[in-house]
Amino acid sequence: MSPNPDAGARRAGMREVAERAGVALSSVSRVLSGHPDVSEVMRNRVRDAVAALGYEPDMLAQSMRTGATMTVGFVVSDISNPLFAQIGLGAEVRLRESGYALQLANSMSRPGLDARHVRLFRSRRVDGLLLSLADEDDGESVRAVAASDIPCVLVDREAPELAGMSAVLSDHAAGMTDAVEHLLGLEHQRIALVNGNPRVRPAKERAKVLRRLTRGRPDVTAQLRQGSFTAEHGAAACAELLAQPHRPTAVIVGGNQILTGVLRAIRAAGLRVPTDLSLITCDDVPLAEFLEPPIATVSRQPGEIGRVAAELLLDRIAGAEPRRVTLPTGFRPTDSCARPL
Amino acid sequence: MSPNPDAGARRAGMREVAERAGVALSSVSRVLSGHPDVSEVMRNRVRDAVAALGYEPDMLAQSMRTGATMTVGFVVSDISNPLFAQIGLGAEVRLRESGYALQLANSMSRPGLDARHVRLFRSRRVDGLLLSLADEDDGESVRAVAASDIPCVLVDREAPELAGMSAVLSDHAAGMTDAVEHLLGLEHQRIALVNGNPRVRPAKERAKVLRRLTRGRPDVTAQLRQGSFTAEHGAAACAELLAQPHRPTAVIVGGNQILTGVLRAIRAAGLRVPTDLSLITCDDVPLAEFLEPPIATVSRQPGEIGRVAAELLLDRIAGAEPRRVTLPTGFRPTDSCARPL
DNA sequence: GTGAAAGCGCTAACAG
DNA sequence: CTGTTAGCGCTTTCAC
C-alpha cells in the first residue's frame, strides 16, 4: 500500500535499486552521484526505484571505495570546558556545511590518551584532525601526530616538530599585555598569575607576557603559579599566594575553570575585590558580568576559533598548503581592578 | 635502519603483512582478532610482520565486513551549552571504554536539522544514537527516529511514538516541587517561571509542577513565559514580567542560558535579589555560587546523565530490551529567596 | 591449524 | 549513453 515500505523491511542496497529499475548497478551509481552523461529516461527510472525502495546510500561502502570518510576527528582535553565546547560547535557547524561529520575524543588532559586517540582516528581513516593537545611538549603525542600523515590543524597549540602544520592561534600576548599594563598603570607592584598547564601554548604565552613586562623593573614582583586548568589548582595556588606575608595586590587568572577556584580562595581568605585585591581573568564565563564587581577579562571568540580551524582543515584536505592564522584577543577592564592601598 | 619504517611509506595492508610473514591473509586476521586456534609459531611470525610494517588495521574495512561501525551519533541542539557539553563528555568517556567513538551533530535548535541528522547518521551506519531532540513534538523528527530502526536512547526527551525506546530522564518534578514549595512556604503569591522551549520535556515538566502546585490556590498567581533556552528570551520575558503593575515576587529560571538574560533584565529594572525579587534557577552554572546572593538552584548531575545514556545505549546495542532510567534532581536553597515585602 | 575463496555495498575504469 | 568488471581491506565459511 504505502509507496515507501521502509518500516520493517531490511534496508535496500543499490543492487536492488538496479534490479527494480532494470538497469545496471553502475547506472544507478551515476545517477545518484550526478554524473552528467545520463539520459533523462535513465535518471527517472532510477529515481523512481530509489523512492519506491526508500534507498539510502551506504556511506561506509562509499568511503571504502573512494577513500574519503567525510569525517574529521577532534582531539580535545575536555569538551565540558565551555571554551572547547564553543570551539567544537563552531567547527562542527562549518564542517557539516561541507558534508563532514565531527568525531570527538576527550583526552581528559592525559597526554597518553592524545596519542592513542590520534592513532585510533587514523585507524578509523578520518580525513582530518583538529588537535587541541593536552600537552604539546609530550614527545609521544607529537610523534603520533607527526607520524599520522593526516591533514591536521592545531588549535592554539604549537611544537617545533609540528611547525609545518596548519594552526589557529589566539593572540594571547595582545590581550594579556593590555591587562598587565592596566595593572601596572594602577601602580600594582605585586602581580600574580594563577596559570594553567604550562605545557600548552595559552599558558606559555600568558606567562611570557607577565615576565616580559615585569623584567627589569625591580619595583614590581611577578609571581607565577603553574598547574592545571582546574578549579582545584586555582583554589590551592591562590590560597598559597594569599597566605604570604606580602601577598600580591593583583591576581590574573589563566582560564575559566581556574577562576572558580580562585574566587573560592579569595572568599575563604575573606578578601574583597578590588579593595584588597585586583582581579583579571582570561576567557569569558557566562556570569562574570554579574559578579560584584564584574571581573575584568582577557577575551576571545571561541566559536570563531572553531570556525577558522574547520576552514583551515577543509583547505588542507582539499590539498592546500598549511596555513597559520592568528585570531585576536581583547582586554575588557572593569572595577575589579583598582589602585592598591 | 629503523625497525618501524612508517615515515613516508604508504600504510601497509593486511595483504602485505601476510606476504611478509609468508602466511595466508586469513591467518593474519585470525591472529589479530585473537582467534584461539592459532599456533605459537604463526602468532609470532604474524606479530613480527605487523611490527616490522607498522601495520594498523583499517576499521573501515572491518566495519564493512562485520556491519558494526563502533560509532555512536549524538544529536544535540547545541553542544556549547555546558549542560549538553557535560552530558556529551560523560557519554563519550563511557562509550570509548567500550571501543565506541562519538559523532556529534548540532541541530542548532532547528527540528528540521534533527531529522536530517538522524538520516545522515543512518547513512553513516552508526551503531546507535543518543538523542536530545530540539523538538520532541515535531512529527518529522519523531518519524525519522522511529523509522531509523537504530538502537536509540532519548536524553531527557519523550514522545508517545517513541514510548518504547530507552531513555534517561531527569526527575525535574522532584527538585522543582521543592523549589516551588520553598517559595510558597515563604508566602510568595506571585510566582513566575521563565521557561525554555515548551516542546521539550524539561520545560514541560517544570511548567507542570508550577501549575499543579498553584492550581486551586486563589491566593497564588502563577505566570508562565515559554520561549527558547536562550539569554535573549530570558531577558525579554523577564523584562515583560517585571514591567507589570503587579510584578511577580519570585522568578524561577528554566535553564542556564536563560539565567543570563533574566539577570540582565533584573539589573536593567534596578531590582535587588532577594529584597525586591526572589530568584531560583534550574541547572548549575559555574559562577552562580559567587553572585550576591548566591542563586538557589534546582540541580542535577549532567555527567551522570551522559554516562547512563551511554550505558543504556550499549545495552541496547548488545540486544537488551529498552529501559528507562530516571535520575534525581535536587533543590539547593540560598539567600536568593526571601519573604516578599 | 591453515589456506583459498567469496563478498560486505559501492565507484571507476573500460568496453561497447 | 549504458553495461561489465574489478576491486577498496577485511572477516568468515569451507575445505584440506
Side-chain angles (χ1 to χ4, degrees), chain A residues 23-24 26-27 30 37 39 42 64-65:
Chain A
V23 302
S26 51
S27 297
R30 281 198 197 90
D37 300 346
S39 71
M42 173 67 83
M64 179 101 249
R65 254 323 297 235

Side-chain angles (χ1 to χ4, degrees), chain A residues 178-223:
Chain A
D178 289 351
V180 174
E181 283 181 343
H182 182 68
L183 292 176
L184 293 174
L186 291 170
E187 296 179 354
H188 282 272
Q189 301 192 314
R190 291 193 302 279
I191 303 175
L193 169 57
V194 180
N195 213 6
N197 177 359
R199 296 173 70 99
V200 297
R201 183 173 183 277
K204 286 175 184 164
E205 292 292 303
R206 288 163 184 159
K208 206 186 292 177
V209 169
L210 181 62
R211 286 200 207 93
R212 176 163 51 75
L213 262 40
T214 55
R215 195 184 345 252
R217 289 201 47 170
D219 56 321
V220 178
T221 310
Q223 291 193 83

